[in-house]
Short mmCIF file of all heavy atoms in Angstrom, two decimals:
data_model
loop_
_atom_site.label_atom_id
_atom_site.label_comp_id
_atom_site.label_asym_id
_atom_site.label_seq_id
_atom_site.Cartn_x
_atom_site.Cartn_y
_atom_site.Cartn_z
N LEU T 45 -7.40 -8.22 -2.78
CA LEU T 45 -7.25 -9.52 -3.46
C LEU T 45 -6.50 -9.30 -4.77
O LEU T 45 -6.01 -10.29 -5.37
CB LEU T 45 -8.68 -10.16 -3.67
CG LEU T 45 -9.31 -10.68 -2.44
CD1 LEU T 45 -10.65 -11.35 -2.80
CD2 LEU T 45 -8.42 -11.66 -1.75
N GLY T 47 -3.75 -7.59 -4.85
CA GLY T 47 -2.42 -7.46 -4.52
C GLY T 47 -2.03 -6.07 -3.99
O GLY T 47 -0.79 -5.84 -3.69
N TYR T 52 -2.29 4.95 4.49
CA TYR T 52 -3.25 6.02 5.00
C TYR T 52 -3.45 7.07 3.88
O TYR T 52 -4.18 7.99 4.12
CB TYR T 52 -2.61 6.64 6.23
CG TYR T 52 -1.28 7.35 5.96
CD1 TYR T 52 -1.25 8.74 5.57
CD2 TYR T 52 -0.05 6.78 6.14
CE1 TYR T 52 -0.12 9.37 5.43
CE2 TYR T 52 1.13 7.43 6.02
CZ TYR T 52 1.12 8.72 5.60
OH TYR T 52 2.30 9.37 5.39
N TYR T 53 -2.85 6.85 2.65
CA TYR T 53 -3.08 7.85 1.57
C TYR T 53 -4.40 7.47 0.96
O TYR T 53 -4.90 8.20 0.09
CB TYR T 53 -1.96 7.73 0.58
CG TYR T 53 -0.66 8.35 1.00
CD1 TYR T 53 0.37 7.64 1.53
CD2 TYR T 53 -0.53 9.75 1.17
CE1 TYR T 53 1.58 8.17 1.98
CE2 TYR T 53 0.65 10.40 1.58
CZ TYR T 53 1.60 9.55 2.02
OH TYR T 53 2.82 10.17 2.48
N TYR T 77 -6.59 -16.49 3.05
CA TYR T 77 -5.53 -15.46 2.90
C TYR T 77 -5.11 -15.02 4.34
O TYR T 77 -5.84 -15.13 5.29
CB TYR T 77 -5.99 -14.24 2.14
CG TYR T 77 -6.33 -14.58 0.78
CD1 TYR T 77 -7.67 -14.77 0.40
CD2 TYR T 77 -5.45 -14.68 -0.27
CE1 TYR T 77 -8.08 -15.08 -0.94
CE2 TYR T 77 -5.78 -14.95 -1.58
CZ TYR T 77 -7.13 -15.21 -1.91
OH TYR T 77 -7.42 -15.48 -3.12
N GLY T 85 9.33 1.63 8.54
CA GLY T 85 9.47 2.94 7.99
C GLY T 85 8.59 3.96 8.67
O GLY T 85 8.56 5.17 8.41
N LEU T 92 -2.09 -8.69 1.78
CA LEU T 92 -2.50 -10.03 1.92
C LEU T 92 -1.40 -10.99 1.30
O LEU T 92 -0.68 -10.65 0.45
CB LEU T 92 -3.79 -10.37 1.22
CG LEU T 92 -5.04 -9.72 1.74
CD1 LEU T 92 -6.17 -10.11 0.79
CD2 LEU T 92 -5.30 -10.18 3.16
N ASN T 94 -1.09 -15.42 0.47
CA ASN T 94 -1.80 -16.68 0.40
C ASN T 94 -1.52 -17.56 1.62
O ASN T 94 -0.35 -17.72 2.04
CB ASN T 94 -1.42 -17.53 -0.83
CG ASN T 94 -1.78 -16.86 -2.09
OD1 ASN T 94 -1.12 -16.07 -2.69
ND2 ASN T 94 -3.05 -17.18 -2.55
N PRO T 101 1.66 -17.99 -5.74
CA PRO T 101 1.31 -16.61 -5.87
C PRO T 101 2.01 -15.93 -7.07
O PRO T 101 3.00 -16.41 -7.60
CB PRO T 101 1.90 -15.98 -4.60
CG PRO T 101 3.01 -16.92 -4.24
CD PRO T 101 2.57 -18.25 -4.73
N LYS T 102 1.29 -14.92 -7.60
CA LYS T 102 1.89 -14.17 -8.65
C LYS T 102 3.14 -13.43 -8.16
O LYS T 102 3.20 -13.06 -6.99
CB LYS T 102 0.91 -13.21 -9.21
CG LYS T 102 1.35 -12.46 -10.46
CD LYS T 102 0.32 -11.49 -10.98
CE LYS T 102 0.87 -10.80 -12.19
NZ LYS T 102 -0.13 -9.85 -12.74
N LYS T 103 4.07 -13.13 -9.05
CA LYS T 103 5.33 -12.50 -8.57
C LYS T 103 5.48 -11.26 -9.37
O LYS T 103 5.13 -11.08 -10.54
CB LYS T 103 6.50 -13.37 -8.75
CG LYS T 103 6.48 -14.60 -7.85
CD LYS T 103 7.68 -15.52 -7.96
CE LYS T 103 7.55 -16.72 -7.03
NZ LYS T 103 8.72 -17.56 -7.06
N LEU T 104 6.16 -10.28 -8.69
CA LEU T 104 6.59 -9.05 -9.35
C LEU T 104 7.64 -9.45 -10.39
O LEU T 104 8.38 -10.36 -10.20
CB LEU T 104 7.14 -8.08 -8.35
CG LEU T 104 7.09 -6.57 -8.53
CD1 LEU T 104 5.61 -6.18 -8.60
CD2 LEU T 104 7.80 -5.90 -7.42
N GLN T 106 11.04 -9.29 -12.52
CA GLN T 106 12.36 -9.08 -12.07
C GLN T 106 12.76 -7.69 -12.19
O GLN T 106 13.47 -7.07 -11.32
CB GLN T 106 13.33 -9.97 -12.93
CG GLN T 106 14.68 -10.19 -12.26
CD GLN T 106 15.61 -11.05 -13.06
OE1 GLN T 106 15.16 -11.61 -14.11
NE2 GLN T 106 16.81 -11.21 -12.65
N THR T 109 11.20 -5.72 -9.41
CA THR T 109 11.81 -6.01 -8.17
C THR T 109 13.14 -5.30 -7.97
O THR T 109 13.42 -4.72 -6.90
CB THR T 109 12.02 -7.55 -8.06
OG1 THR T 109 10.76 -8.27 -8.19
CG2 THR T 109 12.69 -7.91 -6.73
N LEU T 113 13.87 -2.42 -5.15
CA LEU T 113 15.09 -2.49 -4.34
C LEU T 113 15.95 -1.25 -4.42
O LEU T 113 16.40 -0.70 -3.42
CB LEU T 113 15.91 -3.77 -4.65
CG LEU T 113 15.33 -5.12 -4.25
CD1 LEU T 113 16.15 -6.26 -4.87
CD2 LEU T 113 15.17 -5.28 -2.76
N SER T 116 14.03 1.88 -2.85
CA SER T 116 14.05 1.87 -1.38
C SER T 116 15.47 2.15 -0.81
O SER T 116 15.56 2.76 0.24
CB SER T 116 13.53 0.55 -0.91
OG SER T 116 14.26 -0.52 -1.37
N TYR T 119 15.96 5.94 -0.71
CA TYR T 119 15.38 6.59 0.44
C TYR T 119 16.01 6.16 1.75
O TYR T 119 16.05 6.96 2.74
CB TYR T 119 13.85 6.20 0.50
CG TYR T 119 13.04 6.93 -0.57
CD1 TYR T 119 12.65 6.28 -1.63
CD2 TYR T 119 12.78 8.32 -0.41
CE1 TYR T 119 11.87 6.94 -2.65
CE2 TYR T 119 12.04 8.94 -1.38
CZ TYR T 119 11.62 8.32 -2.55
OH TYR T 119 10.92 8.93 -3.43
N ALA T 120 16.62 4.99 1.76
CA ALA T 120 17.28 4.61 3.04
C ALA T 120 18.55 5.39 3.21
O ALA T 120 18.94 5.79 4.32
CB ALA T 120 17.60 3.04 2.98
N GLY T 123 17.21 9.35 3.61
CA GLY T 123 16.18 9.64 4.62
C GLY T 123 15.24 10.67 4.13
O GLY T 123 15.00 10.78 2.92
N PRO T 124 14.72 11.47 4.98
CA PRO T 124 13.78 12.59 4.52
C PRO T 124 14.42 13.57 3.75
O PRO T 124 13.78 14.49 3.26
CB PRO T 124 13.30 13.08 5.96
CG PRO T 124 14.30 12.75 6.93
CD PRO T 124 14.88 11.52 6.50
N GLY T 125 15.74 13.56 3.54
CA GLY T 125 16.37 14.54 2.69
C GLY T 125 15.95 14.32 1.26
O GLY T 125 15.97 15.27 0.48
N ASP T 128 9.76 12.89 -1.06
CA ASP T 128 8.96 11.77 -1.32
C ASP T 128 8.72 11.57 -2.83
O ASP T 128 8.48 10.47 -3.30
CB ASP T 128 7.61 11.90 -0.63
CG ASP T 128 7.75 11.58 0.82
OD1 ASP T 128 8.85 11.17 1.25
OD2 ASP T 128 6.80 11.78 1.60
N ARG T 147 24.93 -5.21 -16.28
CA ARG T 147 24.23 -6.06 -15.34
C ARG T 147 22.76 -5.86 -15.32
O ARG T 147 21.99 -6.80 -14.98
CB ARG T 147 24.85 -5.86 -13.94
CG ARG T 147 26.30 -6.14 -13.81
CD ARG T 147 26.90 -5.87 -12.46
NE ARG T 147 26.40 -6.81 -11.52
CZ ARG T 147 26.73 -6.73 -10.18
NH1 ARG T 147 27.43 -5.67 -9.61
NH2 ARG T 147 26.37 -7.57 -9.37
N TYR T 186 0.49 -1.99 -7.58
CA TYR T 186 0.38 -2.66 -6.33
C TYR T 186 0.60 -1.63 -5.19
O TYR T 186 0.63 -2.06 -3.97
CB TYR T 186 1.38 -3.74 -6.15
CG TYR T 186 1.20 -4.85 -7.17
CD1 TYR T 186 2.02 -4.99 -8.28
CD2 TYR T 186 0.12 -5.81 -6.98
CE1 TYR T 186 1.81 -6.02 -9.19
CE2 TYR T 186 -0.06 -6.82 -7.87
CZ TYR T 186 0.73 -6.92 -9.01
OH TYR T 186 0.51 -7.89 -9.90
N TYR T 211 8.73 0.33 1.52
CA TYR T 211 9.73 -0.16 2.56
C TYR T 211 9.75 -1.64 2.65
O TYR T 211 10.64 -2.23 3.31
CB TYR T 211 9.46 0.47 3.88
CG TYR T 211 9.90 1.87 4.04
CD1 TYR T 211 9.09 2.90 4.31
CD2 TYR T 211 11.21 2.18 3.81
CE1 TYR T 211 9.49 4.21 4.38
CE2 TYR T 211 11.64 3.47 3.90
CZ TYR T 211 10.82 4.51 4.30
OH TYR T 211 11.23 5.84 4.39
N PHE T 213 10.59 -3.50 0.41
CA PHE T 213 11.84 -3.94 -0.25
C PHE T 213 13.02 -3.81 0.72
O PHE T 213 14.11 -4.19 0.25
CB PHE T 213 12.08 -3.09 -1.44
CG PHE T 213 11.08 -3.40 -2.59
CD1 PHE T 213 9.93 -2.63 -2.74
CD2 PHE T 213 11.33 -4.43 -3.45
CE1 PHE T 213 8.96 -2.98 -3.78
CE2 PHE T 213 10.42 -4.74 -4.49
CZ PHE T 213 9.25 -4.02 -4.59
N LEU T 214 12.89 -3.29 1.86
CA LEU T 214 13.99 -3.23 2.84
C LEU T 214 13.95 -4.38 3.82
O LEU T 214 14.82 -4.50 4.72
CB LEU T 214 14.02 -1.88 3.56
CG LEU T 214 14.33 -0.68 2.75
CD1 LEU T 214 14.19 0.59 3.60
CD2 LEU T 214 15.80 -0.79 2.26
N ALA T 217 16.94 -6.63 3.80
CA ALA T 217 18.21 -5.86 4.25
C ALA T 217 18.15 -5.78 5.78
O ALA T 217 19.15 -5.83 6.44
CB ALA T 217 18.33 -4.53 3.61
N VAL T 234 16.65 -14.69 1.51
CA VAL T 234 15.63 -14.55 0.47
C VAL T 234 14.55 -15.59 0.52
O VAL T 234 13.32 -15.37 0.42
CB VAL T 234 16.27 -14.63 -0.95
CG1 VAL T 234 15.28 -14.74 -2.07
CG2 VAL T 234 17.22 -13.44 -1.16
N TRP T 238 10.80 -14.37 0.84
CA TRP T 238 10.22 -14.34 -0.46
C TRP T 238 10.03 -15.70 -1.05
O TRP T 238 9.75 -15.85 -2.27
CB TRP T 238 11.05 -13.47 -1.45
CG TRP T 238 10.90 -11.99 -1.12
CD1 TRP T 238 10.17 -11.44 -0.06
CD2 TRP T 238 11.49 -10.95 -1.81
NE1 TRP T 238 10.35 -10.07 -0.07
CE2 TRP T 238 11.10 -9.75 -1.20
CE3 TRP T 238 12.27 -10.90 -2.94
CZ2 TRP T 238 11.55 -8.49 -1.60
CZ3 TRP T 238 12.71 -9.60 -3.35
CH2 TRP T 238 12.39 -8.41 -2.70
N GLY T 241 11.81 -17.45 -4.54
CA GLY T 241 12.27 -16.24 -5.29
C GLY T 241 12.60 -16.44 -6.73
O GLY T 241 13.11 -15.68 -7.42
N SER T 243 12.39 -17.07 -10.67
CA SER T 243 11.67 -16.34 -11.71
C SER T 243 10.52 -17.19 -12.21
O SER T 243 10.65 -18.33 -12.53
CB SER T 243 12.64 -15.97 -12.85
OG SER T 243 11.92 -15.56 -14.02
N SER T 244 9.34 -16.53 -12.26
CA SER T 244 8.20 -17.30 -12.84
C SER T 244 8.41 -17.47 -14.28
O SER T 244 7.90 -18.42 -14.90
CB SER T 244 6.92 -16.49 -12.60
OG SER T 244 7.04 -15.23 -13.13
N ARG B 195 17.24 17.70 6.72
CA ARG B 195 17.65 16.72 5.63
C ARG B 195 19.15 16.50 5.64
O ARG B 195 19.60 15.38 5.49
CB ARG B 195 17.27 17.37 4.34
CG ARG B 195 15.81 17.43 4.10
CD ARG B 195 15.47 17.89 2.66
NE ARG B 195 14.05 17.97 2.48
CZ ARG B 195 13.43 19.17 2.29
NH1 ARG B 195 14.14 20.20 2.21
NH2 ARG B 195 12.14 19.19 2.06
N TYR B 198 20.18 14.21 8.52
CA TYR B 198 19.75 12.83 8.35
C TYR B 198 20.62 12.08 7.40
O TYR B 198 20.77 10.90 7.39
CB TYR B 198 18.21 12.74 7.96
CG TYR B 198 17.32 12.64 9.13
CD1 TYR B 198 17.09 13.78 9.88
CD2 TYR B 198 16.72 11.48 9.50
CE1 TYR B 198 16.20 13.67 10.98
CE2 TYR B 198 15.88 11.39 10.52
CZ TYR B 198 15.63 12.50 11.27
OH TYR B 198 14.76 12.42 12.38
N GLU B 279 3.64 16.80 7.83
CA GLU B 279 3.98 15.66 6.97
C GLU B 279 5.46 15.40 6.96
O GLU B 279 5.93 14.27 7.06
CB GLU B 279 3.46 15.90 5.58
CG GLU B 279 3.74 14.73 4.63
CD GLU B 279 2.89 13.59 4.83
OE1 GLU B 279 1.82 13.64 5.52
OE2 GLU B 279 3.21 12.49 4.33
N ARG B 282 6.53 13.91 10.21
CA ARG B 282 6.04 12.54 10.25
C ARG B 282 7.00 11.68 9.39
O ARG B 282 7.35 10.58 9.89
CB ARG B 282 4.66 12.44 9.60
CG ARG B 282 4.01 11.12 9.63
CD ARG B 282 2.73 11.07 8.88
NE ARG B 282 2.26 9.69 8.86
CZ ARG B 282 0.97 9.44 9.18
NH1 ARG B 282 0.19 10.33 9.50
NH2 ARG B 282 0.59 8.18 9.21
N ASN B 283 7.44 12.17 8.31
CA ASN B 283 8.46 11.44 7.52
C ASN B 283 9.77 11.28 8.28
O ASN B 283 10.39 10.18 8.18
CB ASN B 283 8.74 12.11 6.13
CG ASN B 283 7.56 11.99 5.23
OD1 ASN B 283 6.77 11.13 5.28
ND2 ASN B 283 7.50 12.94 4.28
N ALA B 286 9.16 8.57 10.67
CA ALA B 286 9.10 7.27 10.00
C ALA B 286 10.48 6.82 9.64
O ALA B 286 10.76 5.68 9.81
CB ALA B 286 8.24 7.44 8.69
N TYR B 287 11.30 7.78 9.19
CA TYR B 287 12.67 7.32 8.83
C TYR B 287 13.44 6.90 10.10
O TYR B 287 14.16 5.94 10.14
CB TYR B 287 13.37 8.37 8.10
CG TYR B 287 14.75 8.01 7.74
CD1 TYR B 287 14.91 7.18 6.59
CD2 TYR B 287 15.90 8.44 8.46
CE1 TYR B 287 16.22 6.80 6.20
CE2 TYR B 287 17.14 8.05 8.01
CZ TYR B 287 17.28 7.24 6.91
OH TYR B 287 18.55 6.86 6.54
N LEU B 290 12.93 3.51 10.95
CA LEU B 290 13.59 2.63 10.11
C LEU B 290 15.08 2.53 10.47
O LEU B 290 15.64 1.41 10.63
CB LEU B 290 13.47 3.10 8.68
CG LEU B 290 14.10 2.25 7.59
CD1 LEU B 290 13.34 0.96 7.43
CD2 LEU B 290 14.07 3.01 6.28
N ARG B 297 21.60 3.20 10.05
CA ARG B 297 21.33 3.61 8.67
C ARG B 297 22.39 3.02 7.76
O ARG B 297 22.12 2.41 6.73
CB ARG B 297 21.22 5.11 8.57
CG ARG B 297 20.92 5.58 7.18
CD ARG B 297 21.37 7.04 6.94
NE ARG B 297 22.83 7.14 7.08
CZ ARG B 297 23.52 8.28 7.29
NH1 ARG B 297 22.85 9.39 7.55
NH2 ARG B 297 24.80 8.28 7.42
N ARG B 299 24.48 0.65 8.22
CA ARG B 299 24.41 -0.87 8.18
C ARG B 299 23.28 -1.40 7.23
O ARG B 299 23.40 -2.29 6.45
CB ARG B 299 24.27 -1.37 9.58
CG ARG B 299 24.55 -2.90 9.70
CD ARG B 299 24.77 -3.34 11.11
NE ARG B 299 23.67 -2.94 11.93
CZ ARG B 299 23.71 -2.21 13.03
NH1 ARG B 299 24.86 -1.74 13.45
NH2 ARG B 299 22.67 -1.94 13.82
N LEU B 300 22.18 -0.70 7.40
CA LEU B 300 20.97 -1.08 6.53
C LEU B 300 21.31 -0.87 5.09
O LEU B 300 20.99 -1.67 4.22
CB LEU B 300 19.79 -0.23 7.00
CG LEU B 300 18.44 -0.45 6.22
CD1 LEU B 300 17.94 -1.92 6.57
CD2 LEU B 300 17.42 0.53 6.63
N CYS B 301 21.93 0.30 4.78
CA CYS B 301 22.24 0.64 3.42
C CYS B 301 23.19 -0.43 2.84
O CYS B 301 23.09 -0.82 1.60
CB CYS B 301 22.78 2.03 3.26
SG CYS B 301 21.50 3.29 3.68
N ALA B 303 23.60 -3.40 3.68
CA ALA B 303 22.86 -4.76 3.50
C ALA B 303 21.99 -4.63 2.24
O ALA B 303 21.89 -5.58 1.49
CB ALA B 303 22.00 -4.96 4.65
N GLN B 304 21.31 -3.41 2.06
CA GLN B 304 20.46 -3.36 0.88
C GLN B 304 21.30 -3.40 -0.42
O GLN B 304 20.89 -3.89 -1.45
CB GLN B 304 19.68 -2.01 0.96
CG GLN B 304 18.67 -1.81 -0.16
CD GLN B 304 17.47 -2.73 -0.09
OE1 GLN B 304 17.46 -3.62 0.71
NE2 GLN B 304 16.49 -2.46 -0.84
N GLN B 306 23.90 -5.12 -0.83
CA GLN B 306 24.24 -6.59 -1.04
C GLN B 306 22.98 -7.23 -1.71
O GLN B 306 23.16 -8.08 -2.58
CB GLN B 306 24.56 -7.25 0.29
CG GLN B 306 25.94 -6.95 0.78
CD GLN B 306 26.19 -7.71 2.12
OE1 GLN B 306 25.99 -7.23 3.27
NE2 GLN B 306 26.66 -8.92 2.06
N ILE B 307 21.82 -6.97 -1.15
CA ILE B 307 20.62 -7.55 -1.68
C ILE B 307 20.44 -7.14 -3.13
O ILE B 307 20.11 -7.99 -4.04
CB ILE B 307 19.43 -7.15 -0.85
CG1 ILE B 307 19.54 -7.65 0.53
CG2 ILE B 307 18.13 -7.60 -1.50
CD1 ILE B 307 19.34 -9.10 0.79
N ALA B 309 22.81 -6.29 -5.29
CA ALA B 309 23.82 -6.96 -6.05
C ALA B 309 23.33 -8.43 -6.29
O ALA B 309 23.58 -8.97 -7.40
CB ALA B 309 25.14 -6.97 -5.33
N TYR B 310 22.81 -9.03 -5.27
CA TYR B 310 22.31 -10.45 -5.42
C TYR B 310 21.19 -10.49 -6.47
O TYR B 310 21.10 -11.38 -7.25
CB TYR B 310 21.77 -10.86 -4.02
CG TYR B 310 21.23 -12.31 -4.02
CD1 TYR B 310 22.04 -13.44 -3.74
CD2 TYR B 310 19.96 -12.57 -4.23
CE1 TYR B 310 21.61 -14.67 -3.68
CE2 TYR B 310 19.43 -13.87 -4.26
CZ TYR B 310 20.22 -14.90 -3.95
OH TYR B 310 19.79 -16.18 -3.94
N ALA B 311 20.34 -9.50 -6.43
CA ALA B 311 19.17 -9.49 -7.34
C ALA B 311 19.63 -9.26 -8.80
O ALA B 311 18.94 -9.67 -9.76
CB ALA B 311 18.22 -8.30 -6.96
N LEU B 312 20.79 -8.65 -9.01
CA LEU B 312 21.33 -8.47 -10.34
C LEU B 312 21.95 -9.75 -10.90
O LEU B 312 22.01 -9.96 -12.09
CB LEU B 312 22.32 -7.35 -10.37
CG LEU B 312 21.81 -5.97 -10.06
CD1 LEU B 312 23.01 -4.96 -10.02
CD2 LEU B 312 20.79 -5.53 -11.13
N GLU B 313 22.27 -10.64 -10.03
CA GLU B 313 22.96 -11.91 -10.42
C GLU B 313 21.96 -13.07 -10.45
O GLU B 313 22.22 -14.07 -11.09
CB GLU B 313 24.08 -12.21 -9.47
CG GLU B 313 25.19 -11.15 -9.51
CD GLU B 313 25.90 -11.00 -10.84
OE1 GLU B 313 25.94 -12.02 -11.59
OE2 GLU B 313 26.21 -9.88 -11.22
N HIS B 314 20.88 -12.99 -9.63
CA HIS B 314 19.97 -14.12 -9.54
C HIS B 314 18.59 -13.64 -9.92
O HIS B 314 18.26 -12.48 -9.76
CB HIS B 314 19.97 -14.65 -8.10
CG HIS B 314 21.27 -15.09 -7.59
ND1 HIS B 314 22.22 -14.24 -7.14
CD2 HIS B 314 21.73 -16.34 -7.49
CE1 HIS B 314 23.26 -14.90 -6.74
NE2 HIS B 314 23.04 -16.18 -6.95
N PRO B 315 17.77 -14.52 -10.50
CA PRO B 315 16.45 -14.17 -10.86
C PRO B 315 15.55 -13.96 -9.72
O PRO B 315 14.76 -14.85 -9.37
CB PRO B 315 16.00 -15.35 -11.79
CG PRO B 315 16.83 -16.49 -11.30
CD PRO B 315 18.08 -16.01 -10.79
N LEU B 316 15.53 -12.80 -9.13
CA LEU B 316 14.83 -12.53 -7.87
C LEU B 316 13.49 -11.81 -8.19
O LEU B 316 13.50 -10.86 -8.90
CB LEU B 316 15.69 -11.74 -6.93
CG LEU B 316 15.22 -11.50 -5.56
CD1 LEU B 316 15.08 -12.91 -4.88
CD2 LEU B 316 16.09 -10.62 -4.74
N GLU B 317 12.40 -12.33 -7.72
CA GLU B 317 11.10 -11.67 -7.92
C GLU B 317 10.32 -11.71 -6.64
O GLU B 317 10.18 -12.70 -5.97
CB GLU B 317 10.33 -12.43 -8.97
CG GLU B 317 10.96 -12.36 -10.38
CD GLU B 317 10.19 -13.23 -11.37
OE1 GLU B 317 9.40 -14.06 -11.00
OE2 GLU B 317 10.36 -12.93 -12.59
N MET B 318 9.82 -10.61 -6.23
CA MET B 318 9.04 -10.49 -5.00
C MET B 318 7.72 -11.18 -5.16
O MET B 318 6.98 -10.89 -6.16
CB MET B 318 8.81 -9.04 -4.69
CG MET B 318 8.00 -8.83 -3.36
SD MET B 318 7.53 -7.12 -3.04
CE MET B 318 8.44 -6.71 -1.64
N PRO B 319 7.28 -12.07 -4.22
CA PRO B 319 6.01 -12.69 -4.36
C PRO B 319 4.87 -11.77 -3.99
O PRO B 319 5.01 -10.89 -3.13
CB PRO B 319 6.11 -13.85 -3.30
CG PRO B 319 7.10 -13.38 -2.32
CD PRO B 319 8.06 -12.56 -3.05
N LEU B 320 3.80 -11.86 -4.75
CA LEU B 320 2.64 -11.02 -4.49
C LEU B 320 1.38 -11.90 -4.34
O LEU B 320 1.47 -13.08 -4.08
CB LEU B 320 2.44 -10.01 -5.68
CG LEU B 320 3.57 -8.91 -5.81
CD1 LEU B 320 3.43 -8.27 -7.17
CD2 LEU B 320 3.41 -7.92 -4.72
N LEU B 321 0.27 -11.25 -4.59
CA LEU B 321 -0.94 -11.96 -4.48
C LEU B 321 -1.87 -11.43 -5.60
O LEU B 321 -1.84 -10.23 -5.90
CB LEU B 321 -1.65 -11.60 -3.15
CG LEU B 321 -2.94 -12.29 -2.93
CD1 LEU B 321 -2.83 -13.71 -2.51
CD2 LEU B 321 -3.72 -11.47 -1.81
N THR B 322 -2.62 -12.35 -6.20
CA THR B 322 -3.59 -11.88 -7.16
C THR B 322 -4.90 -12.50 -6.80
O THR B 322 -4.96 -13.63 -6.21
CB THR B 322 -3.27 -12.29 -8.59
OG1 THR B 322 -2.91 -13.66 -8.63
CG2 THR B 322 -2.09 -11.43 -9.04
N MET B 323 -5.96 -11.92 -7.20
CA MET B 323 -7.26 -12.40 -6.93
C MET B 323 -7.40 -13.73 -7.74
O MET B 323 -7.00 -13.80 -8.95
CB MET B 323 -8.32 -11.44 -7.47
CG MET B 323 -9.77 -11.83 -7.11
SD MET B 323 -10.95 -10.71 -7.75
CE MET B 323 -10.70 -9.29 -6.76
N PRO B 324 -7.91 -14.80 -7.09
CA PRO B 324 -7.99 -16.08 -7.82
C PRO B 324 -8.91 -15.92 -8.98
O PRO B 324 -9.93 -15.30 -8.97
CB PRO B 324 -8.62 -16.99 -6.86
CG PRO B 324 -9.26 -16.14 -5.69
CD PRO B 324 -8.43 -14.85 -5.73
#
Side-chain angles (χ1 to χ4, degrees):
Chain T
L45 289 183
Y52 67 89
Y53 289 102
Y77 298 97
L92 291 178
N94 292 89
K102 185 177 178 181
K103 293 182 179 180
L104 208 60
Q106 195 178 359
T109 300
L113 289 170
S116 57
Y119 285 106
D128 282 353
R147 297 177 74 186
Y186 296 104
Y211 283 122
F213 287 95
L214 290 174
V234 169
W238 288 1
S243 165
S244 57
Chain B
R195 289 190 186 112
Y198 269 75
E279 181 71 16
R282 183 189 179 129
N283 286 339
Y287 183 77
L290 181 68
R297 180 202 65 199
R299 193 164 56 238
L300 179 69
C301 292
Q304 184 72 351
Q306 283 182 268
I307 298 290
Y310 181 89
L312 293 177
E313 298 296 329
H314 301 78
L316 191 60
E317 295 177 341
M318 177 190 246
L320 291 169
L321 178 81
T322 49
M323 188 183 288

